[in-house]
Each structure stands twice: as C-alpha cells, then as structure tokens.
Amino acid sequence: MKRTFQLDEINEVAQELLMRAPNKVLCLYGDMGVGKTTLVKALVKDLGAVDVANSPTFGLVNEYSDENDTPLAYHFDFYRLNDEMEALDMGFEDYLNSDAWLFIEWPDKISSLLPEDAVGVFLHFVEESTRSIELNVS
C-alpha cells in the first residue's frame, strides 16, 4: 500500500490500512507533526472504540476498548522513552501477547523488542494538507 492523500481522507486511509495490514502490530514512522496520532485516532474510531484517541506522550500507552470494555487497541508513544528497559518495565511484552491492535509511535526507540513481522507504516509530508503513506511488510 502506497498512496498520497489529503488530511480529510484520513478515515478512508485508516480503513484501508486496517484491511491490508497482515497483523496487528503497526509501527508508525514519520517526523514530528506529520500526523501519526491523527492516523491513530482514525484507526481507533474505525475499530469501534468508545473513547476518542489522543496522544499518550506522558503516559506512554493508552488503551481503547469497545462498549463491552474489551480492549481493541493500545497506542504507544515512545518519544520520551530513555531506553528499552522502560518499555520492558511497563510490560510491553505483555501487550505483544494480547489480541488487540498495537499502534506504536517512535518504534525506533524499542527496535530490538519489536516482533519480526511488525508492519512499518511510513508517513511523509507532501504539502500543508497532503501526506503520503507507505506500508512495509516484511
């Protein structure tokens, strides 16, 4: 999957990403402000979560559940992570064993902890309201 889109098409991009991803571990790469959290908001909404997604920058992880309180997704923002040990201390490996989707911002901070089949999602600025997205599957 590789496409260029307008920001107002983010919901369609999220739907396509959820359909095409071969597994539920999505690593979101891109510069600060490119729209990683905006994409996660659209992904979480499309999954049917009862809460609106926001950046977990200060808590490292947010959990999103359906109306029955079943976890649908975990959103990680490792921007402020000092080392991989912090991710292990917060139980990152337990999240990998869940059935929920994992959306990981700044995955390069925990590269050795990522499963081999994690999906790379690369976002790039094109213009003010235009982005490109590329899905890399190993």
Side-chain angles (χ1 to χ4, degrees), residues 22-75:
N23 66 57
K24 294 182 172 184
V25 181
L26 303 185
C27 296
L28 306 172
Y29 297 91
D31 293 336
M32 183 81 71
V34 76
K36 296 181 295 294
T37 299
T38 302
L39 177 60
V40 170
K41 286 180 183 182
L43 291 165
V44 166
K45 178 182 174 195
D46 198 62
L47 289 172
V50 292
D51 295 321
V52 175
N54 55 42
S55 179
T57 300
F58 298 104
L60 294 181
V61 63
N62 284 344
E63 177 182 319
Y64 299 99
S65 302
D66 65 15
E67 65 277 352
N68 299 319
D69 214 27
T70 303
L72 295 171
Y74 296 100
H75 176 200

Side-chain angles (χ1 to χ4, degrees), residues 14 24 26 42 44 77-78 85 88 95-96 102 111 122 128:
K24 294 182 172 184
L26 303 185
V44 166
D77 185 336
F78 289 134
M85 205 62 212
L88 291 173
Y95 292 103
L96 288 172
L102 304 185
S111 56
F122 296 84
E128 184 64 32

